[in-house]
Amino acid sequence: MSDLNDKLVSGLKWGSVEKFSTYGVQFLLSIVMARLLTPADFGVVGMITIFLALSTIFIDSGFAVALIRKKDATDTDFSSVFYFNILLSLLFYGVLYLAAPAIASFYDTPILCRVTRILGLTVIISSLTIVQRARVTKEIRFNIHAKVTFTSAAISGTAGIAAAYAGFGPWAIVLQLMLASALTSALYWYFSSWRPSKLFSLRTIREMFSFSSKLLVATLLLVIYNNIYQLVIGKWFSMAQVGFFSKANSYANLPNDAIGRTINNVALPALARIGDNDAELLGYYRRLLRGTSCVLFPIMGAIVALAVPGVRLVLTEKWMPAAPLLQILATACVMAPIRMINQNVYHIKGRSDIYLKTEVINKLLITALLAATIPLGIQAICWGFLAVSYVQFFVNAHYNSRLVGYHLRRQLGDIGRPLLVTLVMTAAIFSLTLLIRHDLAAILAGGAVMLATSAWMLNREVRIRTLYAKFFHKA
């Protein structure tokens, strides 16, 4: 137990360093890029995001998670997955290269042909580090993740700003993404001592694919529907509107990517070690859920309340159409970290079939709402996304009650108080923005309220746990 606690604390510490430093740098650099470039420039790259993401998911094929959860993974396993990933990456880059003219024609944007063929190279580069990342994660060595991601983000972001300042337009973003991918790959190989052996086993690939195949299909659905909004907006609306949506979506997901995914990435390999002990797993699981709620709920509430002055101050008036989209998408993203923690249980229990089933249900709902909201405009599309995100929570909670006995009522009880406090806090911060007319002052005041709220909830959570521990110890 103590060993697991130590690994969780160490993993969370270095995972937090990685995410906060990396996303802090990326956030600051993206602000400068947004000021130098136009929404249409961001829209160009946003249009092909789905194609790059799909290729990357196919290459991974769920093998990274399979390697992490396999307790007795051998060098043959790692080497076989490594070579298989490279083979798939070459195949899918060929598909992207040949499909580039069709993609450009679909969007009626000729520049996308060259952009797709150049950015498609990141698919090959990324395939070289899938096993390296999996090994680092499996060993809970998140200090390596921190070094790699911070360094690549800082260097590539600086290069992107220089290119944007020089007038390269959307090519500045392409340069940034290419350089980030190359640096990430090079640094993982530098910091990791593992090298592939001259071993390959089709039997290993088949055995692991029996688990990862369902995970692959579910992840494909997730990626398609996470990016389908940009695909639809790019087809039916202007490039500038794609840029507004992309920027709002990236900022709405920033807290979850920086904090929620840190917790998720650390929790998966750590909790996989106690996956057979349902009582112990449920205890850690509930603490993760409550702690995550106390941190992330107030942040998302503050984003909703401060979206208008924040966009106006940070991105300037040309980005103001993104503000209402940011408010809606941030409200939708409140439940994203809770959903990820719920889905971790499927992986820990080896139930990729349930993960696939829940993703199919969720994506059918998204399809129906997307079809209904397209004629109504981008804001209506975002409202549909919000509705689906909350339905997803109830679907995941239902299946987790069957796996580990964490029933919906208990989940709602664990996150209900943080959610209620966050609603009150959001209303208070929004009232401050009406009273304080200066954007920077309003943001500083709202940020202070958010920090105080989160600190109070975390302190209360710790005190309650301490009281319970003392009570049961005496009993």
Side-chain angles (χ1 to χ4, degrees), residues 351-373:
R351 295 301 303 272
S352 55
D353 58 319
I354 294 180
Y355 181 52
L356 174 58
K357 185 183 296 184
T358 58
E359 286 304 310
V360 169
I361 293 171
N362 294 334
K363 283 14 176 188
L364 287 174
L365 289 172
I366 288 176
T367 302
L369 282 172
L370 189 57
T373 54

Side-chain angles (χ1 to χ4, degrees), residues 182-235:
L183 285 170
T184 298
S185 180
L187 288 170
Y188 270 113
W189 278 85
Y190 174 77
F191 285 115
S192 175
S193 61
W194 181 83
R195 295 295 182 267
S197 304
K198 296 179 181 179
L199 300 169
F200 183 82
S201 170
L202 276 177
R203 180 180 178 182
T204 293
I205 297 298
R206 285 195 296 267
E207 287 176 353
M208 299 183 81
F209 196 67
S210 64
F211 166 81
S212 66
S213 59
K214 300 181 184 70
L215 189 61
L216 168 63
V217 176
T219 308
L220 281 174
L221 287 172
L222 180 65
V223 169
I224 290 171
Y225 280 90
N226 279 349
N227 292 278
I228 197 170
Y229 293 93
Q230 286 162 275
L231 186 148
V232 169
I233 293 170
K235 178 63 178 176

Side-chain angles (χ1 to χ4, degrees), residues 102-139:
I103 294 172
S105 176
F106 176 79
Y107 288 115
D108 194 23
T109 308
I111 192 176
L112 285 181
C113 181
R114 284 181 295 158
V115 170
T116 302
R117 286 174 171 172
I118 294 174
L119 277 181
L121 292 170
T122 60
V123 170
I124 299 176
I125 297 171
S126 297
S127 72
L128 299 173
T129 60
I130 289 175
V131 173
Q132 301 281 18
R133 288 173 186 260
R135 285 185 65 89
V136 169
T137 301
K138 187 180 182 71
E139 296 164 5

Side-chain angles (χ1 to χ4, degrees), residues 230-244:
Q230 286 162 275
L231 186 148
V232 169
I233 293 170
K235 178 63 178 176
W236 296 98
F237 303 94
S238 68
M239 277 196 296
Q241 289 174 308
V242 176
F244 292 135

